[in-house]
Amino acid sequence: MFETRPNRDAEVALVGRSNVGKSTLMRELTGHDFDTGGSPGVTREPNHYDWASEDFVITDLPGFGFMSGVDEDHREQIKTNIVHYLEEYAENVLVAVLVVDGKSVIDIIDRHSGPDEIPYDVEMFHFLRDLEIPVVVAVNKMDKVDDRDERLNELCDRLGLYPPWKQWQETIAPITAKQGQIEPLNEAVREHLHEQQRDDLFKFF
């Protein structure tokens, strides 16, 4: 189990596969550069970012799923640790941000959908909902996507949300973290914070 969490009550957690841009998004949100190590899956422990005067932390959980050079046992262990972390702190996590790569997410989901296989992203989305943690899916790298609405509608369909995506703007947030275009995510996160009477945290988003 990850033991590094600072003693903070409220939390926003970033989850997602390796290489979808979680660390870049974390940098955009916090203004702080984390050592991302350059190779996928290098974040094996969570990155936590907190503020001295605030009872609040933003956490970037390690990437799950395939990572080159990482054996399957280790991958499964990371996934188990992420699941345990989210279960343990479900009361504290006001919003979970599931980061996906807009360009490849549909292909990846479809490739791993079968009679006895649930794709990680879909599984994680429903797992978070089962924990009653509000989820925002940050669909990153949208600058590389041509058929934007179609792609986002397809993603809704795969997640079990009835398209069109535009009726799910508190759940589906198209962003390009590298270019600092994360306003749809900030708005969605604020929406969920507001529902939990935490407008005091708007300044972070």
Side-chain angles (χ1 to χ4, degrees):
M1 175 70 186
F2 305 129
E3 302 293 354
T4 51
R5 187 182 189 275
N7 184 17
R8 295 284 187 253
D9 178 44
E11 179 170 3
V12 167
L14 274 56
V15 290
R17 289 176 174 278
S18 304
N19 251 8
V20 293
K22 286 198 312 303
S23 300
T24 309
L25 179 56
M26 187 76 169
R27 188 169 62 235
E28 273 302 313
L29 290 171
T30 62
H32 181 83
D33 226 336
F34 293 85
D35 175 24
T36 55
S39 63
V42 100
T43 319
R44 306 236 172 131
E45 291 287 322
N47 277 318
H48 302 281
Y49 193 75
D50 60 339
W51 289 261
S53 60
E54 304 284 347
D55 201 8
F56 175 61
V57 60
I58 296 181
T59 300
D60 173 20
L61 287 164
F64 55 75
F66 177 76
M67 295 164 244
S68 59
V70 179
D71 65 59
E72 189 164 351
D73 287 352
H74 193 86
R75 279 204 312 260
E76 283 304 312
Q77 188 55 52
I78 289 175
K79 191 179 157 204
T80 302
N81 287 348
I82 292 169
V83 163
H84 287 166
Y85 181 93
L86 290 165
E87 286 174 338
E88 178 151 344
Y89 296 110
E91 295 287 299
N92 303 85
V93 180
L94 303 176
V95 187
V97 179
L98 174 60
V99 188
V100 300
D101 179 334
K103 194 167 162 55
S104 62
V105 65
I106 302 297
D107 290 344
I108 290 173
I109 287 176
D110 289 352
R111 195 180 321 141
H112 292 280
S113 296
D116 50 4
E117 192 178 17
I118 301 176
Y120 277 145
D121 298 302
V122 175
E123 185 180 26
M124 186 57 73
F125 179 74
H126 292 291
F127 171 68
L128 290 162
R129 287 189 139 195
D130 289 345
L131 291 176
E132 297 182 359
I133 298 173
V135 192
V136 178
V137 182
V139 191
N140 195 19
K141 308 186 187 182
M142 285 302 287
D143 57 317
K144 299 192 169 79
V145 175
D146 301 328
D147 47 353
R148 191 185 156 94
D149 287 342
E150 190 181 332
R151 182 66 49 94
L152 295 168
N153 287 342
E154 285 181 357
L155 180 59
C156 282
D157 177 64
R158 304 302 191 275
L159 294 173
L161 304 171
Y162 200 70
W165 76 273
K166 287 204 163 116
Q167 62 184 340
W168 300 102
Q169 289 187 46
E170 78 291 356
T171 305
I172 303 286
I175 63 167
T176 302
K178 220 174 204 153
Q179 298 174 6
Q181 297 168 359
I182 61 169
E183 193 49 37
L185 172 64
N186 287 338
E187 285 175 16
V189 169
R190 280 189 210 123
E191 187 79 30
H192 293 296
L193 292 174
H194 179 65
E195 281 166 13
Q196 298 169 78
Q197 281 94 46
R198 291 308 302 262
D199 293 16
D200 57 304
L201 299 175
F202 279 17
K203 60 188 168 195
F204 298 110
F205 296 97

